Amino acid sequence: MFPQPNRGKSSLFSGSIPTSQKQRGYPLKDISWHQGRIKYLLFLSCLVISITNLYPAAAHQVEVAGDVGGTLHVEPNDNPQAGEPSQVWFALTRRGGRVIPLSQCNCQLAVYAEPYAAGEPPLLEPQLESVAAERYKGIPGAEVVFPKPGIYELQLKGKPVSGGRFKPFKFKFEVTVAGGSTDNTRKLRDVNGDLVEGESQKFPIWAITLPIFAFIAILVVVLQSMKDGRE
């Protein structure tokens, strides 16, 4: 008169495990194996990204003073060379992103050669002009000819004129100048009396080949994983 036990349910709690369920345990090993491959791929990807972001090294420097932000860019490609004209421009923005044009700023630019002593007069004082660069219009810019390779400090200070509503500011940007061409180096030696080594600003070979090999390694690992997964 008692109900008969459900044989289907008893099999779930039995000590023996069906063959189909035993086979389901194998994908766990595959998952852990694939996770190791994924970590390896992520490592290689980070390596490629870090190398590709290594050059150029100093692009678009940003400084903030009070309620004004300033972004420096040096043409060409933030890699100025000694004895060659370089176009520098400063994107000035107020808090909130509103652009400060040169017409609203009494700005002055001074160039110092590092190292310099306090109170020392600037090496150069380029005249600022309104320029248009990227998405900015009317921002301060100037043409600068750095006399020889080395580290320079560009100081930009400004205060508002009529129509400008921002606090006075002073920015300091560090710029590394490479050696120019052989002709310009010879001219610098004649004018300044100093011998300046000429060097071209090129990427080292390893900076180009290493990302390529890393990409090939990632591609090989991915193809191998796909092949093993099909098997």
Side-chain angles (χ1 to χ4, degrees), residues 126-171:
Q127 184 67 34
L128 292 171
E129 299 179 351
S130 297
V131 299
E134 295 184 357
R135 59 186 179 89
Y136 304 101
K137 295 182 179 180
I139 58 176
E143 184 178 86
V144 180
V145 180
F146 298 97
K148 54 185 179 181
I151 300 176
Y152 294 82
E153 183 178 274
L154 274 61
Q155 294 186 7
L156 179 69
K157 61 180 180 180
K159 56 184 179 180
V161 295
S162 59
R165 295 181 180 179
F166 56 90
K167 298 179 181 179
F169 63 87
K170 184 177 182 179
F171 296 136

Side-chain angles (χ1 to χ4, degrees), residues 24-155:
R24 293 176 185 176
Y26 288 101
L28 295 177
K29 296 181 179 180
D30 294 337
I31 292 174
S32 60
W33 182 81
H34 284 296
Q35 286 179 347
R37 287 294 182 95
I38 292 173
K39 291 180 180 179
Y40 182 67
L41 292 176
L42 290 176
F43 168 76
L44 292 179
S45 301
C46 293
L47 178 64
V48 173
I49 294 173
S50 61
I51 293 173
T52 53
N53 289 337
L54 183 62
Y55 294 92
H60 288 67
Q61 300 182 47
V62 179
E63 293 287 335
V64 178
D67 59 346
V68 179
T71 302
L72 167 67
H73 183 74
V74 183
E75 296 287 355
N77 300 323
D78 289 294
N79 291 310
Q81 296 189 2
E84 300 180 4
S86 298
Q87 182 70 30
V88 301
W89 52 263
F90 304 88
L92 304 177
T93 56
R94 292 172 50 188
R95 186 173 300 171
R98 187 172 182 179
V99 178
I100 302 175
L102 182 60
S103 59
Q104 298 180 4
C105 178
N106 182 11
C107 297
Q108 296 177 348
L109 176 61
V111 180
Y112 295 85
E114 294 279 12
Y116 67 94
E120 180 180 339
L123 179 66
L124 301 170
E125 292 183 294
Q127 184 67 34
L128 292 171
E129 299 179 351
S130 297
V131 299
E134 295 184 357
R135 59 186 179 89
Y136 304 101
K137 295 182 179 180
I139 58 176
E143 184 178 86
V144 180
V145 180
F146 298 97
K148 54 185 179 181
I151 300 176
Y152 294 82
E153 183 178 274
L154 274 61
Q155 294 186 7

Side-chain angles (χ1 to χ4, degrees), residues 152-229:
Y152 294 82
E153 183 178 274
L154 274 61
Q155 294 186 7
L156 179 69
K157 61 180 180 180
K159 56 184 179 180
V161 295
S162 59
R165 295 181 180 179
F166 56 90
K167 298 179 181 179
F169 63 87
K170 184 177 182 179
F171 296 136
K172 295 181 180 180
F173 300 95
E174 188 177 275
V175 176
T176 301
V177 178
S181 62
T182 305
D183 294 337
N184 286 329
T185 300
R186 188 177 299 110
K187 293 178 182 178
L188 288 174
R189 181 184 56 189
D190 296 339
V191 173
N192 300 329
D194 297 328
L195 180 60
V196 180
E197 295 291 339
E199 58 179 356
S200 59
Q201 187 71 13
K202 296 181 179 179
F203 293 134
I205 297 177
W206 65 266
I208 300 175
T209 57
L210 189 56
I212 296 176
F213 285 118
F215 176 77
I216 294 174
I218 294 174
L219 183 60
V220 170
V221 173
V222 172
L223 293 177
Q224 186 65 31
S225 299
M226 294 175 62
K227 180 179 179 181
D228 296 340

Side-chain angles (χ1 to χ4, degrees), residues 6-18 20-21 24:
N6 191 329
R7 295 182 180 179
K9 291 184 179 181
S10 61
S11 64
L12 295 177
F13 298 95
S14 61
S16 60
I17 301 176
S20 60
Q21 294 185 11
R24 293 176 185 176

